[in-house]
Amino acid sequence: MDRGFGLEVPETLAEVCRPDRLALLVYDMQVGIASQLTDGREVTRAVAGVLDAARAGGFRVFFTRHMSLPGEVAGVAQLRTAKAWQRARTVADVRPSFPRDSPQFQIVPELAPRASEAIFDKLAMSAFVGTPLEMALRDCGLGAFAIVGIALEVGIEPTVRHATDLGFLPVVVADACGSRDRAAAERAFAGFAFAGGSLVTEIATIAPLLRGATSVS
């Protein structure tokens, strides 16, 4: 641990993996998203491994879900994005992909959130836009989070970049993050390395650290 100006500046993953410093963020592991990946089941198992370790170690856990607004209340940005994703010719052809309370909107059953864990619904790619995530982390005194889920190149990357701008230390668990575009995922990892401010690790490294942590009292 580096120290200066009255601050502790973590340098290693082990220094960050404490329940009083780090939370787990499970990003958009929804039925309708995991099913779009050919390796969706494998990603789900990988995320479950990290989630189990975090629960065993007493870490706080937050889930996000991506939500589609009804067309009648969706704005220009929402409709433009939906048109692009659905390759729709007109706004009239767009259908909400993840409407509230639909089967595809729900977290995959294998990762069912516990009553002691939070779920934040969002419209944006960054998990910090329009959700209470920042407030919740700061109110718990947490300056870091490990992130797992889908999709690395679409939502996890902007969440990580946003987090560093907010002063958080994001830890990306690489083999527990799914992606559909391998080249885009590789660019995301290259961007993390170039920009700095985040850590990238793997399940085999972080899981023992999470399991071995002291539970939150």
Side-chain angles (χ1 to χ4, degrees):
M1 183 73 71
D2 195 9
R3 291 176 173 82
F5 308 105
L7 300 171
E8 290 187 338
V9 182
E11 295 184 306
T12 68
L13 184 62
E15 292 168 346
V16 177
C17 285
R18 292 174 23 179
D20 61 342
R21 289 183 174 163
L22 176 134
L24 176 65
L25 178 60
V26 181
Y27 187 97
D28 289 9
M29 285 301 299
Q30 295 161 258
V31 171
I33 295 178
S35 63
Q36 295 182 37
L37 302 188
T38 56
D39 61 346
R41 291 184 180 275
E42 289 77 7
V43 174
T44 298
R45 283 194 290 269
V47 171
V50 180
L51 178 59
D52 289 346
R55 286 169 169 170
F59 288 82
R60 292 177 172 87
V61 177
F62 299 89
F63 290 80
T64 65
R65 295 184 299 194
H66 194 78
M67 181 174 65
S68 301
L69 294 177
E72 292 81 357
V73 292
V76 172
Q78 294 291 306
L79 293 171
R80 282 179 54 84
T81 300
K83 281 182 63 179
W85 284 1
Q86 297 176 25
R87 294 180 172 83
R89 188 175 61 85
T90 69
V91 167
D93 297 324
V94 167
R95 296 293 179 268
S97 297
F98 305 103
R100 185 189 62 200
D101 300 329
S102 65
Q104 65 268 29
F105 177 69
Q106 307 308 318
I107 302 295
V108 295
E110 299 92 328
L111 306 176
R114 295 178 175 177
S116 58
E117 298 164 349
I119 307 172
F120 296 143
D121 297 337
K122 61 182 179 59
L123 302 177
M125 294 300 105
S126 169
F128 290 96
V129 173
T131 78
L133 179 59
E134 179 184 1
M135 178 181 178
L137 292 173
R138 295 199 193 282
D139 205 29
C140 292
L142 303 175
F145 62 90
I147 186 167
V148 297
I150 303 171
L152 176 74
E153 73 277 30
V154 177
I156 292 175
E157 179 185 23
T159 296
V160 168
R161 290 185 178 277
H162 195 172
T164 58
D165 282 345
L166 293 172
F168 291 103
L169 171 55
V171 178
V172 182
V173 186
D175 51 351
C177 292
S179 61
R180 190 161 63 177
D181 187 315
R182 180 56 55 188
E186 291 175 356
R187 289 194 296 270
F189 283 123
F192 297 153
F194 179 79
S198 61
L199 296 175
V200 177
T201 187
E202 296 182 346
I203 299 170
T205 301
I206 196 171
L209 295 173
L210 296 174
R211 287 187 182 279
T214 302
S215 297
V216 175
S217 60

mmCIF file of all heavy atoms in Angstrom, residues 91-130:
data_model
loop_
_atom_site.group_PDB
_atom_site.id
_atom_site.type_symbol
_atom_site.label_atom_id
_atom_site.label_comp_id
_atom_site.label_asym_id
_atom_site.label_seq_id
_atom_site.Cartn_x
_atom_site.Cartn_y
_atom_site.Cartn_z
ATOM 1 N N VAL A 91 -39.007 4.375 -36.838
ATOM 2 C CA VAL A 91 -39.333 4.317 -35.417
ATOM 3 C C VAL A 91 -40.547 3.420 -35.184
ATOM 4 O O VAL A 91 -40.629 2.706 -34.179
ATOM 5 C CB VAL A 91 -39.583 5.739 -34.873
ATOM 6 C CG1 VAL A 91 -40.220 5.693 -33.492
ATOM 7 C CG2 VAL A 91 -38.282 6.529 -34.830
ATOM 8 N N ALA A 92 -41.479 3.448 -36.116
ATOM 9 C CA ALA A 92 -42.693 2.638 -35.972
ATOM 10 C C ALA A 92 -42.382 1.142 -35.965
ATOM 11 O O ALA A 92 -43.172 0.338 -35.449
ATOM 12 C CB ALA A 92 -43.666 2.965 -37.104
ATOM 13 N N ASP A 93 -41.229 0.760 -36.509
ATOM 14 C CA ASP A 93 -40.855 -0.655 -36.554
ATOM 15 C C ASP A 93 -40.145 -1.119 -35.291
ATOM 16 O O ASP A 93 -39.914 -2.317 -35.107
ATOM 17 C CB ASP A 93 -39.930 -0.910 -37.753
ATOM 18 C CG ASP A 93 -40.617 -0.628 -39.079
ATOM 19 O OD1 ASP A 93 -41.824 -0.901 -39.183
ATOM 20 O OD2 ASP A 93 -39.938 -0.124 -39.999
ATOM 21 N N VAL A 94 -39.787 -0.188 -34.417
ATOM 22 C CA VAL A 94 -39.026 -0.524 -33.203
ATOM 23 C C VAL A 94 -39.949 -1.133 -32.153
ATOM 24 O O VAL A 94 -41.079 -0.688 -31.956
ATOM 25 C CB VAL A 94 -38.340 0.733 -32.630
ATOM 26 C CG1 VAL A 94 -37.812 0.486 -31.231
ATOM 27 C CG2 VAL A 94 -37.224 1.188 -33.557
ATOM 28 N N ARG A 95 -39.446 -2.167 -31.476
ATOM 29 C CA ARG A 95 -40.161 -2.783 -30.362
ATOM 30 C C ARG A 95 -39.242 -2.807 -29.146
ATOM 31 O O ARG A 95 -38.055 -3.110 -29.290
ATOM 32 C CB ARG A 95 -40.596 -4.214 -30.703
ATOM 33 C CG ARG A 95 -41.602 -4.298 -31.840
ATOM 34 C CD ARG A 95 -42.941 -3.676 -31.448
ATOM 35 N NE ARG A 95 -43.911 -3.722 -32.547
ATOM 36 C CZ ARG A 95 -44.087 -2.758 -33.429
ATOM 37 N NH1 ARG A 95 -43.343 -1.646 -33.362
ATOM 38 N NH2 ARG A 95 -44.991 -2.867 -34.386
ATOM 39 N N PRO A 96 -39.727 -2.497 -27.946
ATOM 40 C CA PRO A 96 -38.873 -2.523 -26.755
ATOM 41 C C PRO A 96 -38.254 -3.909 -26.576
ATOM 42 O O PRO A 96 -38.966 -4.919 -26.568
ATOM 43 C CB PRO A 96 -39.835 -2.192 -25.615
ATOM 44 C CG PRO A 96 -40.978 -1.471 -26.263
ATOM 45 C CD PRO A 96 -41.109 -2.084 -27.624
ATOM 46 N N SER A 97 -36.936 -3.966 -26.439
ATOM 47 C CA SER A 97 -36.250 -5.251 -26.306
ATOM 48 C C SER A 97 -36.314 -5.810 -24.892
ATOM 49 O O SER A 97 -36.394 -7.023 -24.701
ATOM 50 C CB SER A 97 -34.781 -5.100 -26.720
ATOM 51 O OG SER A 97 -34.663 -4.732 -28.066
ATOM 52 N N PHE A 98 -36.273 -4.910 -23.902
ATOM 53 C CA PHE A 98 -36.264 -5.342 -22.507
ATOM 54 C C PHE A 98 -37.290 -4.558 -21.696
ATOM 55 O O PHE A 98 -36.937 -3.799 -20.782
ATOM 56 C CB PHE A 98 -34.868 -5.163 -21.900
ATOM 57 C CG PHE A 98 -33.789 -5.854 -22.686
ATOM 58 C CD1 PHE A 98 -32.948 -5.132 -23.506
ATOM 59 C CD2 PHE A 98 -33.647 -7.229 -22.623
ATOM 60 C CE1 PHE A 98 -31.972 -5.767 -24.256
ATOM 61 C CE2 PHE A 98 -32.670 -7.873 -23.362
ATOM 62 C CZ PHE A 98 -31.833 -7.142 -24.189
ATOM 63 N N PRO A 99 -38.564 -4.733 -22.030
ATOM 64 C CA PRO A 99 -39.594 -4.005 -21.274
ATOM 65 C C PRO A 99 -39.668 -4.493 -19.833
ATOM 66 O O PRO A 99 -39.384 -5.659 -19.535
ATOM 67 C CB PRO A 99 -40.884 -4.323 -22.038
ATOM 68 C CG PRO A 99 -40.596 -5.580 -22.773
ATOM 69 C CD PRO A 99 -39.135 -5.579 -23.087
ATOM 70 N N ARG A 100 -40.021 -3.581 -18.955
ATOM 71 C CA ARG A 100 -40.140 -3.889 -17.533
ATOM 72 C C ARG A 100 -41.060 -5.086 -17.319
ATOM 73 O O ARG A 100 -42.119 -5.188 -17.920
ATOM 74 C CB ARG A 100 -40.687 -2.671 -16.799
ATOM 75 C CG ARG A 100 -40.760 -2.802 -15.283
ATOM 76 C CD ARG A 100 -41.522 -1.638 -14.705
ATOM 77 N NE ARG A 100 -42.899 -1.609 -15.191
ATOM 78 C CZ ARG A 100 -43.678 -0.529 -15.165
ATOM 79 N NH1 ARG A 100 -43.211 0.607 -14.728
ATOM 80 N NH2 ARG A 100 -44.919 -0.604 -15.623
ATOM 81 N N ASP A 101 -40.636 -5.995 -16.458
ATOM 82 C CA ASP A 101 -41.408 -7.175 -16.050
ATOM 83 C C ASP A 101 -41.507 -8.258 -17.121
ATOM 84 O O ASP A 101 -42.199 -9.258 -16.908
ATOM 85 C CB ASP A 101 -42.827 -6.788 -15.588
ATOM 86 C CG ASP A 101 -42.810 -5.833 -14.411
ATOM 87 O OD1 ASP A 101 -41.864 -5.923 -13.608
ATOM 88 O OD2 ASP A 101 -43.736 -5.012 -14.293
ATOM 89 N N SER A 102 -40.824 -8.091 -18.257
ATOM 90 C CA SER A 102 -40.837 -9.138 -19.279
ATOM 91 C C SER A 102 -39.861 -10.235 -18.876
ATOM 92 O O SER A 102 -38.930 -10.014 -18.095
ATOM 93 C CB SER A 102 -40.442 -8.562 -20.635
ATOM 94 O OG SER A 102 -39.091 -8.115 -20.612
ATOM 95 N N PRO A 103 -40.030 -11.458 -19.387
ATOM 96 C CA PRO A 103 -39.108 -12.553 -19.045
ATOM 97 C C PRO A 103 -37.661 -12.228 -19.389
ATOM 98 O O PRO A 103 -36.743 -12.558 -18.628
ATOM 99 C CB PRO A 103 -39.635 -13.728 -19.873
ATOM 100 C CG PRO A 103 -41.090 -13.431 -20.077
ATOM 101 C CD PRO A 103 -41.166 -11.943 -20.212
ATOM 102 N N GLN A 104 -37.427 -11.590 -20.541
ATOM 103 C CA GLN A 104 -36.058 -11.310 -20.965
ATOM 104 C C GLN A 104 -35.378 -10.225 -20.139
ATOM 105 O O GLN A 104 -34.151 -10.080 -20.156
ATOM 106 C CB GLN A 104 -36.014 -10.934 -22.447
ATOM 107 C CG GLN A 104 -36.731 -9.642 -22.824
ATOM 108 C CD GLN A 104 -38.171 -9.863 -23.238
ATOM 109 O OE1 GLN A 104 -38.814 -10.801 -22.777
ATOM 110 N NE2 GLN A 104 -38.654 -9.021 -24.136
ATOM 111 N N PHE A 105 -36.158 -9.461 -19.390
ATOM 112 C CA PHE A 105 -35.622 -8.382 -18.558
ATOM 113 C C PHE A 105 -35.006 -8.909 -17.267
ATOM 114 O O PHE A 105 -34.160 -8.258 -16.655
ATOM 115 C CB PHE A 105 -36.763 -7.402 -18.242
ATOM 116 C CG PHE A 105 -36.397 -6.272 -17.326
ATOM 117 C CD1 PHE A 105 -35.535 -5.269 -17.742
ATOM 118 C CD2 PHE A 105 -36.929 -6.195 -16.047
ATOM 119 C CE1 PHE A 105 -35.215 -4.221 -16.893
ATOM 120 C CE2 PHE A 105 -36.617 -5.149 -15.200
ATOM 121 C CZ PHE A 105 -35.759 -4.155 -15.627
ATOM 122 N N GLN A 106 -35.389 -10.103 -16.844
ATOM 123 C CA GLN A 106 -35.002 -10.624 -15.539
ATOM 124 C C GLN A 106 -33.557 -11.128 -15.514
ATOM 125 O O GLN A 106 -33.003 -11.534 -16.535
ATOM 126 C CB GLN A 106 -35.943 -11.764 -15.135
ATOM 127 C CG GLN A 106 -37.420 -11.404 -15.192
ATOM 128 C CD GLN A 106 -37.755 -10.133 -14.423
ATOM 129 O OE1 GLN A 106 -37.243 -9.919 -13.320
ATOM 130 N NE2 GLN A 106 -38.607 -9.297 -15.001
ATOM 131 N N ILE A 107 -32.963 -11.113 -14.326
ATOM 132 C CA ILE A 107 -31.643 -11.706 -14.125
ATOM 133 C C ILE A 107 -31.744 -13.216 -14.338
ATOM 134 O O ILE A 107 -32.739 -13.842 -13.946
ATOM 135 C CB ILE A 107 -31.136 -11.418 -12.689
ATOM 136 C CG1 ILE A 107 -31.074 -9.906 -12.412
ATOM 137 C CG2 ILE A 107 -29.772 -12.067 -12.453
ATOM 138 C CD1 ILE A 107 -30.069 -9.150 -13.240
ATOM 139 N N VAL A 108 -30.736 -13.811 -14.964
ATOM 140 C CA VAL A 108 -30.773 -15.253 -15.208
ATOM 141 C C VAL A 108 -30.936 -15.994 -13.881
ATOM 142 O O VAL A 108 -30.372 -15.586 -12.854
ATOM 143 C CB VAL A 108 -29.507 -15.736 -15.943
ATOM 144 C CG1 VAL A 108 -29.426 -15.142 -17.336
ATOM 145 C CG2 VAL A 108 -28.246 -15.404 -15.155
ATOM 146 N N PRO A 109 -31.739 -17.065 -13.854
ATOM 147 C CA PRO A 109 -32.052 -17.737 -12.590
ATOM 148 C C PRO A 109 -30.834 -18.202 -11.805
ATOM 149 O O PRO A 109 -30.842 -18.212 -10.572
ATOM 150 C CB PRO A 109 -32.907 -18.928 -13.034
ATOM 151 C CG PRO A 109 -33.479 -18.533 -14.353
ATOM 152 C CD PRO A 109 -32.449 -17.663 -14.997
ATOM 153 N N GLU A 110 -29.770 -18.587 -12.513
ATOM 154 C CA GLU A 110 -28.569 -19.081 -11.836
ATOM 155 C C GLU A 110 -27.902 -18.024 -10.957
ATOM 156 O O GLU A 110 -27.108 -18.360 -10.065
ATOM 157 C CB GLU A 110 -27.549 -19.581 -12.857
ATOM 158 C CG GLU A 110 -28.038 -20.740 -13.710
ATOM 159 C CD GLU A 110 -28.689 -20.288 -14.998
ATOM 160 O OE1 GLU A 110 -29.315 -19.202 -15.015
ATOM 161 O OE2 GLU A 110 -28.581 -21.030 -15.997
ATOM 162 N N LEU A 111 -28.216 -16.758 -11.214
ATOM 163 C CA LEU A 111 -27.592 -15.654 -10.467
ATOM 164 C C LEU A 111 -28.618 -14.886 -9.648
ATOM 165 O O LEU A 111 -28.392 -13.727 -9.308
ATOM 166 C CB LEU A 111 -26.907 -14.686 -11.441
ATOM 167 C CG LEU A 111 -25.896 -15.290 -12.417
ATOM 168 C CD1 LEU A 111 -25.388 -14.218 -13.358
ATOM 169 C CD2 LEU A 111 -24.742 -15.944 -11.676
ATOM 170 N N ALA A 112 -29.712 -15.500 -9.308
ATOM 171 C CA ALA A 112 -30.816 -14.812 -8.642
ATOM 172 C C ALA A 112 -30.323 -13.962 -7.472
ATOM 173 O O ALA A 112 -29.681 -14.476 -6.539
ATOM 174 C CB ALA A 112 -31.831 -15.832 -8.137
ATOM 175 N N PRO A 113 -30.584 -12.651 -7.508
ATOM 176 C CA PRO A 113 -30.160 -11.783 -6.406
ATOM 177 C C PRO A 113 -30.834 -12.161 -5.096
ATOM 178 O O PRO A 113 -31.993 -12.578 -5.073
ATOM 179 C CB PRO A 113 -30.605 -10.388 -6.872
ATOM 180 C CG PRO A 113 -30.704 -10.490 -8.355
ATOM 181 C CD PRO A 113 -31.179 -11.886 -8.621
ATOM 182 N N ARG A 114 -30.100 -12.014 -4.018
ATOM 183 C CA ARG A 114 -30.640 -12.262 -2.697
ATOM 184 C C ARG A 114 -31.345 -11.019 -2.175
ATOM 185 O O ARG A 114 -31.156 -9.912 -2.691
ATOM 186 C CB ARG A 114 -29.514 -12.652 -1.735
ATOM 187 C CG ARG A 114 -28.842 -13.973 -2.090
ATOM 188 C CD ARG A 114 -27.703 -14.278 -1.144
ATOM 189 N NE ARG A 114 -27.123 -15.603 -1.401
ATOM 190 C CZ ARG A 114 -26.074 -16.095 -0.755
ATOM 191 N NH1 ARG A 114 -25.459 -15.359 0.179
ATOM 192 N NH2 ARG A 114 -25.619 -17.308 -1.037
ATOM 193 N N ALA A 115 -32.130 -11.199 -1.131
ATOM 194 C CA ALA A 115 -32.835 -10.060 -0.536
ATOM 195 C C ALA A 115 -31.855 -9.030 0.011
ATOM 196 O O ALA A 115 -32.194 -7.845 0.124
ATOM 197 C CB ALA A 115 -33.755 -10.557 0.578
ATOM 198 N N SER A 116 -30.652 -9.453 0.320
ATOM 199 C CA SER A 116 -29.636 -8.558 0.883
ATOM 200 C C SER A 116 -28.823 -7.850 -0.191
ATOM 201 O O SER A 116 -27.871 -7.124 0.134
ATOM 202 C CB SER A 116 -28.689 -9.358 1.787
ATOM 203 O OG SER A 116 -28.074 -10.410 1.055
ATOM 204 N N GLU A 117 -29.185 -8.039 -1.460
ATOM 205 C CA GLU A 117 -28.444 -7.445 -2.567
ATOM 206 C C GLU A 117 -29.337 -6.486 -3.360
ATOM 207 O O GLU A 117 -30.554 -6.647 -3.374
ATOM 208 C CB GLU A 117 -27.903 -8.563 -3.465
ATOM 209 C CG GLU A 117 -26.931 -9.473 -2.717
ATOM 210 C CD GLU A 117 -26.651 -10.791 -3.390
ATOM 211 O OE1 GLU A 117 -27.340 -11.145 -4.363
ATOM 212 O OE2 GLU A 117 -25.719 -11.485 -2.938
ATOM 213 N N ALA A 118 -28.709 -5.495 -3.996
ATOM 214 C CA ALA A 118 -29.471 -4.445 -4.673
ATOM 215 C C ALA A 118 -29.521 -4.671 -6.180
ATOM 216 O O ALA A 118 -28.586 -5.224 -6.773
ATOM 217 C CB ALA A 118 -28.848 -3.082 -4.387
ATOM 218 N N ILE A 119 -30.625 -4.229 -6.798
ATOM 219 C CA ILE A 119 -30.784 -4.258 -8.248
ATOM 220 C C ILE A 119 -31.122 -2.845 -8.709
ATOM 221 O O ILE A 119 -32.097 -2.248 -8.236
ATOM 222 C CB ILE A 119 -31.914 -5.208 -8.693
ATOM 223 C CG1 ILE A 119 -31.735 -6.600 -8.092
ATOM 224 C CG2 ILE A 119 -31.973 -5.285 -10.213
ATOM 225 C CD1 ILE A 119 -32.918 -7.517 -8.343
ATOM 226 N N PHE A 120 -30.329 -2.324 -9.636
ATOM 227 C CA PHE A 120 -30.580 -1.001 -10.191
ATOM 228 C C PHE A 120 -30.922 -1.135 -11.668
ATOM 229 O O PHE A 120 -30.159 -1.735 -12.435
ATOM 230 C CB PHE A 120 -29.358 -0.090 -10.033
ATOM 231 C CG PHE A 120 -28.986 0.206 -8.606
ATOM 232 C CD1 PHE A 120 -27.658 0.311 -8.230
ATOM 233 C CD2 PHE A 120 -29.963 0.388 -7.637
ATOM 234 C CE1 PHE A 120 -27.311 0.588 -6.919
ATOM 235 C CE2 PHE A 120 -29.633 0.666 -6.321
ATOM 236 C CZ PHE A 120 -28.294 0.760 -5.964
ATOM 237 N N ASP A 121 -32.044 -0.579 -12.084
ATOM 238 C CA ASP A 121 -32.450 -0.584 -13.484
ATOM 239 C C ASP A 121 -31.959 0.694 -14.156
ATOM 240 O O ASP A 121 -31.936 1.760 -13.544
ATOM 241 C CB ASP A 121 -33.965 -0.690 -13.600
ATOM 242 C CG ASP A 121 -34.494 -2.002 -13.020
ATOM 243 O OD1 ASP A 121 -33.716 -2.969 -12.946
ATOM 244 O OD2 ASP A 121 -35.672 -2.043 -12.630
ATOM 245 N N LYS A 122 -31.584 0.579 -15.417
ATOM 246 C CA LYS A 122 -30.965 1.707 -16.107
ATOM 247 C C LYS A 122 -31.371 1.752 -17.575
ATOM 248 O O LYS A 122 -31.822 0.753 -18.143
ATOM 249 C CB LYS A 122 -29.445 1.625 -15.990
ATOM 250 C CG LYS A 122 -28.869 0.374 -16.625
ATOM 251 C CD LYS A 122 -27.370 0.309 -16.454
ATOM 252 C CE LYS A 122 -26.809 -0.952 -17.078
ATOM 253 N NZ LYS A 122 -27.094 -1.088 -18.521
ATOM 254 N N LEU A 123 -31.188 2.916 -18.168
ATOM 255 C CA LEU A 123 -31.428 3.110 -19.597
ATOM 256 C C LEU A 123 -30.129 3.296 -20.366
ATOM 257 O O LEU A 123 -30.069 3.034 -21.562
ATOM 258 C CB LEU A 123 -32.305 4.342 -19.834
ATOM 259 C CG LEU A 123 -33.688 4.354 -19.167
ATOM 260 C CD1 LEU A 123 -34.377 5.690 -19.450
ATOM 261 C CD2 LEU A 123 -34.540 3.199 -19.671
ATOM 262 N N ALA A 124 -29.102 3.769 -19.677
ATOM 263 C CA ALA A 124 -27.830 4.079 -20.318
ATOM 264 C C ALA A 124 -26.876 2.901 -20.253
ATOM 265 O O ALA A 124 -27.141 1.896 -19.601
ATOM 266 C CB ALA A 124 -27.207 5.300 -19.645
ATOM 267 N N MET A 125 -25.737 3.024 -20.911
ATOM 268 C CA MET A 125 -24.719 1.978 -20.877
ATOM 269 C C MET A 125 -23.914 2.041 -19.577
ATOM 270 O O MET A 125 -23.629 1.018 -18.977
ATOM 271 C CB MET A 125 -23.793 2.088 -22.081
ATOM 272 C CG MET A 125 -24.482 1.825 -23.409
ATOM 273 S SD MET A 125 -25.201 0.166 -23.523
ATOM 274 C CE MET A 125 -26.938 0.537 -23.325
ATOM 275 N N SER A 126 -23.526 3.235 -19.155
ATOM 276 C CA SER A 126 -22.816 3.351 -17.888
ATOM 277 C C SER A 126 -23.764 3.038 -16.742
ATOM 278 O O SER A 126 -24.872 3.578 -16.667
ATOM 279 C CB SER A 126 -22.250 4.760 -17.696
ATOM 280 O OG SER A 126 -21.786 4.928 -16.357
ATOM 281 N N ALA A 127 -23.322 2.186 -15.836
ATOM 282 C CA ALA A 127 -24.153 1.824 -14.683
ATOM 283 C C ALA A 127 -24.344 2.984 -13.714
ATOM 284 O O ALA A 127 -25.169 2.892 -12.805
ATOM 285 C CB ALA A 127 -23.519 0.645 -13.943
ATOM 286 N N PHE A 128 -23.612 4.078 -13.929
ATOM 287 C CA PHE A 128 -23.715 5.226 -13.036
ATOM 288 C C PHE A 128 -24.722 6.268 -13.517
ATOM 289 O O PHE A 128 -25.069 7.176 -12.770
ATOM 290 C CB PHE A 128 -22.339 5.890 -12.868
ATOM 291 C CG PHE A 128 -21.373 5.062 -12.087
ATOM 292 C CD1 PHE A 128 -20.460 4.251 -12.732
ATOM 293 C CD2 PHE A 128 -21.378 5.079 -10.697
ATOM 294 C CE1 PHE A 128 -19.564 3.472 -12.011
ATOM 295 C CE2 PHE A 128 -20.491 4.310 -9.961
ATOM 296 C CZ PHE A 128 -19.578 3.504 -10.614
ATOM 297 N N VAL A 129 -25.162 6.167 -14.763
ATOM 298 C CA VAL A 129 -26.077 7.170 -15.307
ATOM 299 C C VAL A 129 -27.517 6.812 -14.943
ATOM 300 O O VAL A 129 -28.033 5.766 -15.321
ATOM 301 C CB VAL A 129 -25.940 7.269 -16.842
ATOM 302 C CG1 VAL A 129 -27.012 8.192 -17.416
ATOM 303 C CG2 VAL A 129 -24.559 7.795 -17.217
ATOM 304 N N GLY A 130 -28.152 7.690 -14.179
ATOM 305 C CA GLY A 130 -29.561 7.515 -13.848
ATOM 306 C C GLY A 130 -29.839 6.460 -12.801
ATOM 307 O O GLY A 130 -30.996 6.059 -12.621
#
